[in-house]
Amino acid sequence: MTESSSLWGGRFTGSTNDAVAALSRSIHFDWRLASYDIKGTRAHLLALRAAGYLAEAELVKLDKSLVELDKRVTSGMFVAKATDEDVHSALERGLIEMVGPELGGKVRAGRSRNDQIATLIRIYLLDQAQLLKTEVLQLIDVLTTLAQEHLSEPMPGRTHFQHAQPVLLSHHLLAHAWPLVRDLERLAQWRERASFSPYGAGALAGTSLELDPNIVSDALGLTAPMANSMDATSSRDVVAEFAFIGTLISINLSRFAEEIIIWASAEFNYIKLADAFSTGSSIMPQKKNPDVAELTRGKAGRIIGDLTGLLSTLKALPLSYNRDLQEDKEPVFDIADNLLLILPAFTGMVATMQLNTARMEELASAGYSLATDVAEWLVKQRVPFKEAHEITGKLVAFAESNNLELDEVTDTDLLAISAHLIPEVREVLSVSGSIRSRTGAGGTAVPRVLDQISALRKLVPSENR
Ligand code: ARG
């Protein structure tokens, strides 16, 4: 390690062993925080100036140089060197190259890489959360639009993956939208907790330089400085919570992905994926594969791994900063990167898939899925539910052994099964009648689906559409 790029050479006589330098280095993954580090440093300059450690002219010169350095970072004119330990060292080197060691050397007063990195990861993730929100809103919007377009088309509803009761396709699609809405609520609530500034905490115990942490917090657009310097530098609950919310988004996507994979099979034939959102096989010319859905499902595994790894790193760490905490970044970067990779492809796939609603409708009544309707109809005739359940069970057994659908059982046979099964029962022996009757809260009847659509439209402002 060269003296010039290290932030801590003074106390050491020998140079760092190469293997140690390689282990210690984080520049290959924390360089993406460069602009955020510069933002933090510019805010810190204001606090140094207010406390009298910088003259006005020094502040102006340093600030201008940092703006220029930021441009050079963005354009690739300034790059990290292999000898730079981390983003903080690289940028201090860059600043000193521009303004000299005398002025550049003043900037580090009253802060540590510990409060610096704890701040950067927060403001970086706050931006990532915004990008994620936009993508998730787009998917919710696509689901809502699809539901509107297929408002009253039935499909089999399943429990235990067996035919259970008919539902509307629109209702099923929106069942995938609501968990995402809650994920966005989680992100919004996370934002409130994340928007606090560790700057001013120093290495762990705060600073004696009487720097006003509110100046930094305000300049970074955060709510307030953190109340405890040890907590500020060593807790990563905010990172873990972001990682969890990201993981939940991924898991929610993977559940829909799994259905899409099944729906696209020849046996189901519910959907056809657009060419642009499927892939072929190098050996089987006929193949059209749902790779977007499969990768969405597969990435959920690695993302769960990221979260688990991060939590394991945090477990049992004593106060306050420990170098273990450097391991917080790669997992959470991986989660955000992968979600931002998955979401546009997944949303595109959903928006462009062709829905074979005739096939779904054809299967909607299969598997005696109207049996519950018969039982509930009997209850409306004041038959106790226990008896209604038994009567309907007998009806299903009769139909099954005679290879009939429920509505194919004759009036005479119905009455033979139970005197309660008068011909009027036929009004619920249709898929449309069954769906129409489910008007209770959150039910699959059209008016309840319309309620959902209007609620979702309110949540997804038109500028996101
Ligand atoms: N690269 C470090 C991290 O990500 C920055 C803080 C380093 N602090 C230290 N005392 N070595 O956590």
Side-chain angles (χ1 to χ4, degrees), residues 144 147-148 151 174 449-458:
T144 312
Q148 182 86 59
L151 182 61
L174 294 183
V449 175
L450 284 172
D451 290 346
Q452 298 179 56
I453 291 174
S454 67
L456 287 165
R457 286 295 185 215
K458 275 190 206 121

Side-chain angles (χ1 to χ4, degrees), residues 7-8 24-27 29-30 33 85-89 112-118 203 233 236 321-329:
L7 301 182
W8 43 267
S24 190
R25 196 164 292 136
S26 57
I27 191 80
F29 60 80
D30 66 18
L33 300 174
E85 182 184 332
D86 56 22
V87 62
H88 323 293
S89 332
S112 151
R113 285 182 289 171
N114 295 355
D115 58 349
Q116 235 176 312
I117 194 69
T233 45
R236 292 292 184 274
Y321 181 85
N322 297 275
R323 195 62 182 277
D324 313 45
L325 290 174
Q326 181 162 300
E327 294 296 317
D328 68 342
K329 279 170 279 303

Side-chain angles (χ1 to χ4, degrees), residues 93-123:
R93 175 178 62 77
L95 184 63
I96 286 175
E97 281 167 12
M98 292 168 85
V99 303
E102 172 85 20
L103 181 56
K106 292 189 175 187
V107 175
R108 215 198 298 156
R111 75 172 182 190
S112 151
R113 285 182 289 171
N114 295 355
D115 58 349
Q116 235 176 312
I117 194 69
T119 308
L120 304 194
I121 191 73
R122 284 167 185 255
I123 55 180

